[in-house]
Amino acid sequence: WFVEQTIPLIKLGADVRIFAFRRGEEIDISEKILSFGLMKRVTYLDAPRSILRRLIVAPFLLLKVALKKPSALRHIFGPTGRARSLEYLFWVAALLGKIESCEIVHCHFGMIANKFIIIKDILGLKQPFVTTFYGQDSSKYIKSKGSHVYDRLKNECAMTLTMTNEMTDRLTRIGFPANRVRTHYTGVSQKSYQPIEHTYDSARVFNMFFVGRFVEKKGISDMLRAVAIVAKKHKNIQLHIVGGGGAPEFHVEIENLVEELEIAPYVKFYGMKPHAEMLGMIKDMDLMVQLSKTAPDGDTDDLPFVLLEAGVSGLPALTTKHVGIPDAVRDGETGFLVPEGDYHAAAEKIIYVIEHPEKTREMSVAVRKFVDVTFGLHLLNRKLLQIYSSLAPS
């Protein structure tokens, strides 16, 4: 989603610079990022994991900061600084000379915005900043830390953007100013996908598709239980699961459930796959199944981007009435919505589609149109540039 937003913004004329607190794995860097040269715009702020390495590099960074922004040292090594870990020193040294000229700073995730406020204080930055909330930053994080964790952000952020209408309501209820919170969907571009008019022939296997991390909020266990119910009536089905991560014990739990439900012939696990390969699998699918729900720790799925990717590719979805997901699915028209945790209702919808194969094509056509009009990236990026322009100093 971030890449899909960033590259078009650059093409529209925005001078985008990317600052990241942590480095990801090289395997996660897509071909699109490399071919567009996006990595040339990235500055990493992370400190080496090795304390010895930090101590070796620190004197050079101290000299850099002392020469360019000596007042910053008082904040870095003051009572609220992180002198022992040298974390603030690495943040500031990496940003000096790069962030000051930016007219707008756009923080992705509330926790990142809280870190930026620290940097803002240290460097005395004056430009307005925007924050986009996505998921756990507006649910699990608040539940664990308390709504006060965003007290400064509520007052200092020029505009807060959310992924869904439900998230907008959620943030205003805990004190974010209503006039500075706006729903701004994570867009998706049809140009980046291969839209297909999906049809289902009852003479062949009915293919269901799941993509996501192995965590409780994804509702994987509900999905497996729904498949077990469907398999009692229709044997010609297959659930394709792409994903991984999460706690090892949860993987074991899922494997045990497949064995307990006796559905191994109907379920195929692929593990993690490159994004391009995952998208290539969509053309052979008949239904995206994403039974998201609120996890025991309060974590929510909000609006999984994969639902938009499926939709723009013409693949209808069976999903849940979970936080912001209803923004992306018109029940009975572009897909199906069931109560979260209700795998019996999910099974009924799967059986309905299998027994009414013409519904696949109808929903496939409808979902492509709906996602393009509601979540079209080109339109949303122009709106985002308008937000930037309205906030930037004249």
Side-chain angles (χ1 to χ4, degrees), residues 196-200 286 314-316 330 332-336 352-353 356-370:
I196 295 171
E197 189 175 287
H198 290 256
T199 59
Y200 170 57
D286 300 300
L315 182 64
R330 287 181 174 172
E333 183 181 342
T334 68
F336 294 105
Y352 175 81
V353 177
H356 297 80
E358 72 283 355
K359 196 65 179 176
T360 299
R361 180 186 175 280
E362 291 175 13
M363 291 192 298
S364 179
V365 173
V367 72
R368 285 172 54 194
K369 292 179 180 178
F370 172 69

PDB file of all heavy atoms in Angstrom, residues 196-200 286 314-316 330 332-336 352-353 356-370:
ATOM      1  N   ILE A 196      -9.578  -9.436 -13.899  1.00  0.00           N
ATOM      2  CA  ILE A 196     -10.120 -10.593 -14.604  1.00  0.00           C
ATOM      3  C   ILE A 196     -11.593 -10.723 -14.238  1.00  0.00           C
ATOM      4  O   ILE A 196     -11.981 -10.496 -13.093  1.00  0.00           O
ATOM      5  CB  ILE A 196      -9.369 -11.881 -14.199  1.00  0.00           C
ATOM      6  CG1 ILE A 196      -7.907 -11.821 -14.641  1.00  0.00           C
ATOM      7  CG2 ILE A 196     -10.044 -13.123 -14.796  1.00  0.00           C
ATOM      8  CD1 ILE A 196      -7.057 -12.946 -14.087  1.00  0.00           C
ATOM      9  N   GLU A 197     -12.391 -11.076 -15.221  1.00  0.00           N
ATOM     10  CA  GLU A 197     -13.796 -11.354 -14.942  1.00  0.00           C
ATOM     11  C   GLU A 197     -13.887 -12.798 -14.474  1.00  0.00           C
ATOM     12  O   GLU A 197     -13.857 -13.729 -15.273  1.00  0.00           O
ATOM     13  CB  GLU A 197     -14.642 -11.131 -16.193  1.00  0.00           C
ATOM     14  CG  GLU A 197     -16.135 -11.198 -15.941  1.00  0.00           C
ATOM     15  CD  GLU A 197     -16.936 -10.852 -17.180  1.00  0.00           C
ATOM     16  OE1 GLU A 197     -16.974  -9.666 -17.548  1.00  0.00           O
ATOM     17  OE2 GLU A 197     -17.502 -11.787 -17.788  1.00  0.00           O
ATOM     18  N   HIS A 198     -13.980 -12.980 -13.181  1.00  0.00           N
ATOM     19  CA  HIS A 198     -13.969 -14.318 -12.604  1.00  0.00           C
ATOM     20  C   HIS A 198     -15.308 -15.022 -12.850  1.00  0.00           C
ATOM     21  O   HIS A 198     -16.371 -14.436 -12.649  1.00  0.00           O
ATOM     22  CB  HIS A 198     -13.687 -14.260 -11.108  1.00  0.00           C
ATOM     23  CG  HIS A 198     -12.291 -13.869 -10.772  1.00  0.00           C
ATOM     24  ND1 HIS A 198     -11.336 -14.775 -10.345  1.00  0.00           N
ATOM     25  CD2 HIS A 198     -11.654 -12.674 -10.831  1.00  0.00           C
ATOM     26  CE1 HIS A 198     -10.193 -14.162 -10.139  1.00  0.00           C
ATOM     27  NE2 HIS A 198     -10.364 -12.876 -10.414  1.00  0.00           N
ATOM     28  N   THR A 199     -15.217 -16.241 -13.275  1.00  0.00           N
ATOM     29  CA  THR A 199     -16.411 -17.075 -13.458  1.00  0.00           C
ATOM     30  C   THR A 199     -16.144 -18.425 -12.813  1.00  0.00           C
ATOM     31  O   THR A 199     -14.989 -18.856 -12.696  1.00  0.00           O
ATOM     32  CB  THR A 199     -16.728 -17.283 -14.948  1.00  0.00           C
ATOM     33  OG1 THR A 199     -15.603 -17.904 -15.590  1.00  0.00           O
ATOM     34  CG2 THR A 199     -17.056 -15.968 -15.638  1.00  0.00           C
ATOM     35  N   TYR A 200     -17.215 -19.077 -12.397  1.00  0.00           N
ATOM     36  CA  TYR A 200     -17.064 -20.390 -11.771  1.00  0.00           C
ATOM     37  C   TYR A 200     -17.916 -21.418 -12.500  1.00  0.00           C
ATOM     38  O   TYR A 200     -19.093 -21.198 -12.768  1.00  0.00           O
ATOM     39  CB  TYR A 200     -17.470 -20.331 -10.293  1.00  0.00           C
ATOM     40  CG  TYR A 200     -17.557 -21.692  -9.649  1.00  0.00           C
ATOM     41  CD1 TYR A 200     -16.453 -22.550  -9.645  1.00  0.00           C
ATOM     42  CD2 TYR A 200     -18.744 -22.136  -9.080  1.00  0.00           C
ATOM     43  CE1 TYR A 200     -16.530 -23.820  -9.077  1.00  0.00           C
ATOM     44  CE2 TYR A 200     -18.831 -23.397  -8.495  1.00  0.00           C
ATOM     45  CZ  TYR A 200     -17.720 -24.231  -8.505  1.00  0.00           C
ATOM     46  OH  TYR A 200     -17.791 -25.483  -7.950  1.00  0.00           O
ATOM     47  N   ASP A 286     -11.770 -18.271  -6.926  1.00  0.00           N
ATOM     48  CA  ASP A 286     -13.190 -17.958  -7.078  1.00  0.00           C
ATOM     49  C   ASP A 286     -13.729 -17.074  -5.960  1.00  0.00           C
ATOM     50  O   ASP A 286     -14.730 -16.385  -6.145  1.00  0.00           O
ATOM     51  CB  ASP A 286     -14.005 -19.257  -7.119  1.00  0.00           C
ATOM     52  CG  ASP A 286     -13.591 -20.150  -8.279  1.00  0.00           C
ATOM     53  OD1 ASP A 286     -13.701 -19.694  -9.434  1.00  0.00           O
ATOM     54  OD2 ASP A 286     -13.139 -21.280  -8.029  1.00  0.00           O
ATOM     55  N   GLY A 314     -10.842  -8.146  -9.493  1.00  0.00           N
ATOM     56  CA  GLY A 314     -12.103  -8.768  -9.873  1.00  0.00           C
ATOM     57  C   GLY A 314     -12.500  -9.969  -9.044  1.00  0.00           C
ATOM     58  O   GLY A 314     -13.426 -10.693  -9.414  1.00  0.00           O
ATOM     59  N   LEU A 315     -11.817 -10.184  -7.919  1.00  0.00           N
ATOM     60  CA  LEU A 315     -12.132 -11.336  -7.081  1.00  0.00           C
ATOM     61  C   LEU A 315     -13.023 -10.908  -5.912  1.00  0.00           C
ATOM     62  O   LEU A 315     -12.602 -10.142  -5.053  1.00  0.00           O
ATOM     63  CB  LEU A 315     -10.847 -11.970  -6.536  1.00  0.00           C
ATOM     64  CG  LEU A 315     -11.023 -13.228  -5.676  1.00  0.00           C
ATOM     65  CD1 LEU A 315     -11.623 -14.367  -6.494  1.00  0.00           C
ATOM     66  CD2 LEU A 315      -9.676 -13.661  -5.076  1.00  0.00           C
ATOM     67  N   PRO A 316     -14.261 -11.385  -5.858  1.00  0.00           N
ATOM     68  CA  PRO A 316     -15.150 -11.035  -4.741  1.00  0.00           C
ATOM     69  C   PRO A 316     -14.675 -11.672  -3.441  1.00  0.00           C
ATOM     70  O   PRO A 316     -13.934 -12.664  -3.458  1.00  0.00           O
ATOM     71  CB  PRO A 316     -16.505 -11.595  -5.180  1.00  0.00           C
ATOM     72  CG  PRO A 316     -16.182 -12.663  -6.172  1.00  0.00           C
ATOM     73  CD  PRO A 316     -14.919 -12.240  -6.850  1.00  0.00           C
ATOM     74  N   ARG A 330     -19.783  -4.245  -0.383  1.00  0.00           N
ATOM     75  CA  ARG A 330     -21.233  -4.079  -0.425  1.00  0.00           C
ATOM     76  C   ARG A 330     -21.843  -5.476  -0.340  1.00  0.00           C
ATOM     77  O   ARG A 330     -21.764  -6.250  -1.295  1.00  0.00           O
ATOM     78  CB  ARG A 330     -21.660  -3.364  -1.702  1.00  0.00           C
ATOM     79  CG  ARG A 330     -21.313  -1.874  -1.702  1.00  0.00           C
ATOM     80  CD  ARG A 330     -21.777  -1.185  -2.963  1.00  0.00           C
ATOM     81  NE  ARG A 330     -21.570   0.258  -2.893  1.00  0.00           N
ATOM     82  CZ  ARG A 330     -21.741   1.090  -3.910  1.00  0.00           C
ATOM     83  NH1 ARG A 330     -22.126   0.620  -5.090  1.00  0.00           N
ATOM     84  NH2 ARG A 330     -21.545   2.383  -3.763  1.00  0.00           N
ATOM     85  N   GLY A 332     -23.613  -8.734  -0.554  1.00  0.00           N
ATOM     86  CA  GLY A 332     -24.488  -9.326  -1.551  1.00  0.00           C
ATOM     87  C   GLY A 332     -24.282  -8.800  -2.950  1.00  0.00           C
ATOM     88  O   GLY A 332     -24.797  -9.357  -3.920  1.00  0.00           O
ATOM     89  N   GLU A 333     -23.492  -7.711  -3.081  1.00  0.00           N
ATOM     90  CA  GLU A 333     -23.262  -7.109  -4.397  1.00  0.00           C
ATOM     91  C   GLU A 333     -21.815  -7.278  -4.856  1.00  0.00           C
ATOM     92  O   GLU A 333     -21.562  -7.728  -5.984  1.00  0.00           O
ATOM     93  CB  GLU A 333     -23.618  -5.628  -4.355  1.00  0.00           C
ATOM     94  CG  GLU A 333     -23.478  -4.915  -5.690  1.00  0.00           C
ATOM     95  CD  GLU A 333     -23.814  -3.446  -5.611  1.00  0.00           C
ATOM     96  OE1 GLU A 333     -24.477  -3.023  -4.634  1.00  0.00           O
ATOM     97  OE2 GLU A 333     -23.412  -2.696  -6.525  1.00  0.00           O
ATOM     98  N   THR A 334     -20.873  -6.897  -4.020  1.00  0.00           N
ATOM     99  CA  THR A 334     -19.456  -7.042  -4.376  1.00  0.00           C
ATOM    100  C   THR A 334     -18.785  -8.162  -3.576  1.00  0.00           C
ATOM    101  O   THR A 334     -17.616  -8.456  -3.782  1.00  0.00           O
ATOM    102  CB  THR A 334     -18.681  -5.730  -4.138  1.00  0.00           C
ATOM    103  OG1 THR A 334     -18.621  -5.465  -2.729  1.00  0.00           O
ATOM    104  CG2 THR A 334     -19.361  -4.561  -4.847  1.00  0.00           C
ATOM    105  N   GLY A 335     -19.516  -8.724  -2.647  1.00  0.00           N
ATOM    106  CA  GLY A 335     -19.001  -9.790  -1.789  1.00  0.00           C
ATOM    107  C   GLY A 335     -20.010 -10.072  -0.704  1.00  0.00           C
ATOM    108  O   GLY A 335     -21.183  -9.697  -0.824  1.00  0.00           O
ATOM    109  N   PHE A 336     -19.551 -10.694   0.377  1.00  0.00           N
ATOM    110  CA  PHE A 336     -20.454 -11.023   1.483  1.00  0.00           C
ATOM    111  C   PHE A 336     -19.846 -10.609   2.807  1.00  0.00           C
ATOM    112  O   PHE A 336     -18.631 -10.736   3.008  1.00  0.00           O
ATOM    113  CB  PHE A 336     -20.756 -12.525   1.504  1.00  0.00           C
ATOM    114  CG  PHE A 336     -21.538 -13.007   0.319  1.00  0.00           C
ATOM    115  CD1 PHE A 336     -20.899 -13.726  -0.698  1.00  0.00           C
ATOM    116  CD2 PHE A 336     -22.901 -12.758   0.200  1.00  0.00           C
ATOM    117  CE1 PHE A 336     -21.604 -14.181  -1.796  1.00  0.00           C
ATOM    118  CE2 PHE A 336     -23.624 -13.204  -0.902  1.00  0.00           C
ATOM    119  CZ  PHE A 336     -22.977 -13.915  -1.894  1.00  0.00           C
ATOM    120  N   TYR A 352     -23.611 -21.069  -0.792  1.00  0.00           N
ATOM    121  CA  TYR A 352     -24.490 -20.316  -1.701  1.00  0.00           C
ATOM    122  C   TYR A 352     -23.782 -20.005  -3.023  1.00  0.00           C
ATOM    123  O   TYR A 352     -24.348 -20.189  -4.104  1.00  0.00           O
ATOM    124  CB  TYR A 352     -24.937 -19.017  -1.038  1.00  0.00           C
ATOM    125  CG  TYR A 352     -25.754 -18.127  -1.954  1.00  0.00           C
ATOM    126  CD1 TYR A 352     -27.111 -18.370  -2.159  1.00  0.00           C
ATOM    127  CD2 TYR A 352     -25.163 -17.064  -2.635  1.00  0.00           C
ATOM    128  CE1 TYR A 352     -27.856 -17.567  -3.020  1.00  0.00           C
ATOM    129  CE2 TYR A 352     -25.891 -16.262  -3.491  1.00  0.00           C
ATOM    130  CZ  TYR A 352     -27.241 -16.516  -3.668  1.00  0.00           C
ATOM    131  OH  TYR A 352     -27.967 -15.722  -4.534  1.00  0.00           O
ATOM    132  N   VAL A 353     -22.538 -19.560  -2.950  1.00  0.00           N
ATOM    133  CA  VAL A 353     -21.795 -19.220  -4.175  1.00  0.00           C
ATOM    134  C   VAL A 353     -21.534 -20.470  -5.016  1.00  0.00           C
ATOM    135  O   VAL A 353     -21.653 -20.445  -6.242  1.00  0.00           O
ATOM    136  CB  VAL A 353     -20.470 -18.509  -3.839  1.00  0.00           C
ATOM    137  CG1 VAL A 353     -19.674 -18.236  -5.114  1.00  0.00           C
ATOM    138  CG2 VAL A 353     -20.736 -17.204  -3.096  1.00  0.00           C
ATOM    139  N   HIS A 356     -24.695 -21.326  -6.713  1.00  0.00           N
ATOM    140  CA  HIS A 356     -25.171 -20.288  -7.629  1.00  0.00           C
ATOM    141  C   HIS A 356     -23.960 -19.728  -8.368  1.00  0.00           C
ATOM    142  O   HIS A 356     -23.528 -18.592  -8.114  1.00  0.00           O
ATOM    143  CB  HIS A 356     -25.904 -19.170  -6.871  1.00  0.00           C
ATOM    144  CG  HIS A 356     -27.142 -19.637  -6.169  1.00  0.00           C
ATOM    145  ND1 HIS A 356     -27.099 -20.284  -4.955  1.00  0.00           N
ATOM    146  CD2 HIS A 356     -28.456 -19.565  -6.523  1.00  0.00           C
ATOM    147  CE1 HIS A 356     -28.332 -20.576  -4.575  1.00  0.00           C
ATOM    148  NE2 HIS A 356     -29.176 -20.165  -5.513  1.00  0.00           N
ATOM    149  N   PRO A 357     -23.369 -20.504  -9.262  1.00  0.00           N
ATOM    150  CA  PRO A 357     -22.118 -20.112  -9.923  1.00  0.00           C
ATOM    151  C   PRO A 357     -22.199 -18.792 -10.684  1.00  0.00           C
ATOM    152  O   PRO A 357     -21.181 -18.121 -10.860  1.00  0.00           O
ATOM    153  CB  PRO A 357     -21.829 -21.288 -10.862  1.00  0.00           C
ATOM    154  CG  PRO A 357     -23.124 -21.992 -11.021  1.00  0.00           C
ATOM    155  CD  PRO A 357     -23.848 -21.818  -9.728  1.00  0.00           C
ATOM    156  N   GLU A 358     -23.401 -18.413 -11.136  1.00  0.00           N
ATOM    157  CA  GLU A 358     -23.534 -17.148 -11.868  1.00  0.00           C
ATOM    158  C   GLU A 358     -23.216 -15.944 -10.972  1.00  0.00           C
ATOM    159  O   GLU A 358     -22.870 -14.852 -11.447  1.00  0.00           O
ATOM    160  CB  GLU A 358     -24.948 -17.012 -12.438  1.00  0.00           C
ATOM    161  CG  GLU A 358     -26.064 -16.736 -11.432  1.00  0.00           C
ATOM    162  CD  GLU A 358     -26.505 -17.952 -10.631  1.00  0.00           C
ATOM    163  OE1 GLU A 358     -26.007 -19.072 -10.904  1.00  0.00           O
ATOM    164  OE2 GLU A 358     -27.357 -17.782  -9.742  1.00  0.00           O
ATOM    165  N   LYS A 359     -23.310 -16.141  -9.650  1.00  0.00           N
ATOM    166  CA  LYS A 359     -23.055 -15.047  -8.704  1.00  0.00           C
ATOM    167  C   LYS A 359     -21.602 -14.600  -8.740  1.00  0.00           C
ATOM    168  O   LYS A 359     -21.306 -13.417  -8.511  1.00  0.00           O
ATOM    169  CB  LYS A 359     -23.428 -15.508  -7.287  1.00  0.00           C
ATOM    170  CG  LYS A 359     -23.573 -14.377  -6.282  1.00  0.00           C
ATOM    171  CD  LYS A 359     -24.730 -13.461  -6.631  1.00  0.00           C
ATOM    172  CE  LYS A 359     -24.873 -12.349  -5.599  1.00  0.00           C
ATOM    173  NZ  LYS A 359     -25.942 -11.387  -5.962  1.00  0.00           N
ATOM    174  N   THR A 360     -20.704 -15.516  -9.032  1.00  0.00           N
ATOM    175  CA  THR A 360     -19.279 -15.166  -9.075  1.00  0.00           C
ATOM    176  C   THR A 360     -19.020 -14.096 -10.126  1.00  0.00           C
ATOM    177  O   THR A 360     -18.340 -13.099  -9.871  1.00  0.00           O
ATOM    178  CB  THR A 360     -18.424 -16.411  -9.367  1.00  0.00           C
ATOM    179  OG1 THR A 360     -18.616 -17.372  -8.340  1.00  0.00           O
ATOM    180  CG2 THR A 360     -16.939 -16.049  -9.436  1.00  0.00           C
ATOM    181  N   ARG A 361     -19.550 -14.295 -11.314  1.00  0.00           N
ATOM    182  CA  ARG A 361     -19.337 -13.319 -12.387  1.00  0.00           C
ATOM    183  C   ARG A 361     -19.988 -11.987 -12.046  1.00  0.00           C
ATOM    184  O   ARG A 361     -19.392 -10.916 -12.255  1.00  0.00           O
ATOM    185  CB  ARG A 361     -19.896 -13.855 -13.711  1.00  0.00           C
ATOM    186  CG  ARG A 361     -19.706 -12.882 -14.867  1.00  0.00           C
ATOM    187  CD  ARG A 361     -20.372 -13.340 -16.148  1.00  0.00           C
ATOM    188  NE  ARG A 361     -20.249 -12.311 -17.172  1.00  0.00           N
ATOM    189  CZ  ARG A 361     -21.033 -11.236 -17.247  1.00  0.00           C
ATOM    190  NH1 ARG A 361     -21.991 -11.044 -16.353  1.00  0.00           N
ATOM    191  NH2 ARG A 361     -20.852 -10.330 -18.199  1.00  0.00           N
ATOM    192  N   GLU A 362     -21.203 -12.006 -11.520  1.00  0.00           N
ATOM    193  CA  GLU A 362     -21.902 -10.769 -11.173  1.00  0.00           C
ATOM    194  C   GLU A 362     -21.095  -9.944 -10.164  1.00  0.00           C
ATOM    195  O   GLU A 362     -20.906  -8.735 -10.328  1.00  0.00           O
ATOM    196  CB  GLU A 362     -23.278 -11.086 -10.586  1.00  0.00           C
ATOM    197  CG  GLU A 362     -24.279 -11.671 -11.569  1.00  0.00           C
ATOM    198  CD  GLU A 362     -25.582 -12.069 -10.887  1.00  0.00           C
ATOM    199  OE1 GLU A 362     -25.776 -11.654  -9.717  1.00  0.00           O
ATOM    200  OE2 GLU A 362     -26.387 -12.785 -11.502  1.00  0.00           O
ATOM    201  N   MET A 363     -20.613 -10.612  -9.124  1.00  0.00           N
ATOM    202  CA  MET A 363     -19.856  -9.907  -8.100  1.00  0.00           C
ATOM    203  C   MET A 363     -18.490  -9.467  -8.626  1.00  0.00           C
ATOM    204  O   MET A 363     -17.975  -8.419  -8.230  1.00  0.00           O
ATOM    205  CB  MET A 363     -19.692 -10.789  -6.865  1.00  0.00           C
ATOM    206  CG  MET A 363     -20.996 -11.033  -6.112  1.00  0.00           C
ATOM    207  SD  MET A 363     -20.774 -11.775  -4.463  1.00  0.00           S
ATOM    208  CE  MET A 363     -20.025 -13.341  -4.907  1.00  0.00           C
ATOM    209  N   SER A 364     -17.899 -10.256  -9.508  1.00  0.00           N
ATOM    210  CA  SER A 364     -16.602  -9.912 -10.074  1.00  0.00           C
ATOM    211  C   SER A 364     -16.668  -8.599 -10.836  1.00  0.00           C
ATOM    212  O   SER A 364     -15.808  -7.720 -10.680  1.00  0.00           O
ATOM    213  CB  SER A 364     -16.111 -11.036 -10.999  1.00  0.00           C
ATOM    214  OG  SER A 364     -14.870 -10.708 -11.570  1.00  0.00           O
ATOM    215  N   VAL A 365     -17.692  -8.430 -11.639  1.00  0.00           N
ATOM    216  CA  VAL A 365     -17.873  -7.189 -12.402  1.00  0.00           C
ATOM    217  C   VAL A 365     -18.150  -6.028 -11.456  1.00  0.00           C
ATOM    218  O   VAL A 365     -17.581  -4.936 -11.586  1.00  0.00           O
ATOM    219  CB  VAL A 365     -19.018  -7.343 -13.420  1.00  0.00           C
ATOM    220  CG1 VAL A 365     -19.326  -6.010 -14.084  1.00  0.00           C
ATOM    221  CG2 VAL A 365     -18.665  -8.395 -14.470  1.00  0.00           C
ATOM    222  N   ALA A 366     -19.008  -6.263 -10.468  1.00  0.00           N
ATOM    223  CA  ALA A 366     -19.410  -5.199  -9.548  1.00  0.00           C
ATOM    224  C   ALA A 366     -18.267  -4.726  -8.662  1.00  0.00           C
ATOM    225  O   ALA A 366     -18.115  -3.528  -8.410  1.00  0.00           O
ATOM    226  CB  ALA A 366     -20.574  -5.680  -8.692  1.00  0.00           C
ATOM    227  N   VAL A 367     -17.447  -5.662  -8.182  1.00  0.00           N
ATOM    228  CA  VAL A 367     -16.399  -5.280  -7.245  1.00  0.00           C
ATOM    229  C   VAL A 367     -15.313  -4.463  -7.933  1.00  0.00           C
ATOM    230  O   VAL A 367     -14.753  -3.527  -7.336  1.00  0.00           O
ATOM    231  CB  VAL A 367     -15.800  -6.517  -6.536  1.00  0.00           C
ATOM    232  CG1 VAL A 367     -14.931  -7.357  -7.464  1.00  0.00           C
ATOM    233  CG2 VAL A 367     -14.992  -6.082  -5.307  1.00  0.00           C
ATOM    234  N   ARG A 368     -15.005  -4.742  -9.171  1.00  0.00           N
ATOM    235  CA  ARG A 368     -14.002  -3.956  -9.892  1.00  0.00           C
ATOM    236  C   ARG A 368     -14.446  -2.510 -10.022  1.00  0.00           C
ATOM    237  O   ARG A 368     -13.668  -1.579  -9.811  1.00  0.00           O
ATOM    238  CB  ARG A 368     -13.740  -4.564 -11.272  1.00  0.00           C
ATOM    239  CG  ARG A 368     -12.897  -5.837 -11.246  1.00  0.00           C
ATOM    240  CD  ARG A 368     -12.846  -6.467 -12.619  1.00  0.00           C
ATOM    241  NE  ARG A 368     -12.387  -5.536 -13.649  1.00  0.00           N
ATOM    242  CZ  ARG A 368     -12.504  -5.744 -14.947  1.00  0.00           C
ATOM    243  NH1 ARG A 368     -13.078  -6.853 -15.386  1.00  0.00           N
ATOM    244  NH2 ARG A 368     -12.045  -4.865 -15.809  1.00  0.00           N
ATOM    245  N   LYS A 369     -15.714  -2.309 -10.384  1.00  0.00           N
ATOM    246  CA  LYS A 369     -16.240  -0.950 -10.543  1.00  0.00           C
ATOM    247  C   LYS A 369     -16.253  -0.216  -9.203  1.00  0.00           C
ATOM    248  O   LYS A 369     -15.862   0.943  -9.107  1.00  0.00           O
ATOM    249  CB  LYS A 369     -17.649  -0.998 -11.136  1.00  0.00           C
ATOM    250  CG  LYS A 369     -17.711  -1.487 -12.571  1.00  0.00           C
ATOM    251  CD  LYS A 369     -19.148  -1.526 -13.075  1.00  0.00           C
ATOM    252  CE  LYS A 369     -19.215  -2.021 -14.516  1.00  0.00           C
ATOM    253  NZ  LYS A 369     -20.628  -2.112 -15.005  1.00  0.00           N
ATOM    254  N   PHE A 370     -16.705  -0.918  -8.166  1.00  0.00           N
ATOM    255  CA  PHE A 370     -16.824  -0.298  -6.846  1.00  0.00           C
ATOM    256  C   PHE A 370     -15.465   0.120  -6.296  1.00  0.00           C
ATOM    257  O   PHE A 370     -15.294   1.250  -5.795  1.00  0.00           O
ATOM    258  CB  PHE A 370     -17.500  -1.275  -5.883  1.00  0.00           C
ATOM    259  CG  PHE A 370     -17.499  -0.814  -4.450  1.00  0.00           C
ATOM    260  CD1 PHE A 370     -18.268   0.264  -4.053  1.00  0.00           C
ATOM    261  CD2 PHE A 370     -16.724  -1.466  -3.494  1.00  0.00           C
ATOM    262  CE1 PHE A 370     -18.266   0.694  -2.729  1.00  0.00           C
ATOM    263  CE2 PHE A 370     -16.723  -1.051  -2.180  1.00  0.00           C
ATOM    264  CZ  PHE A 370     -17.492   0.038  -1.792  1.00  0.00           C
TER     265      PHE A 370
END
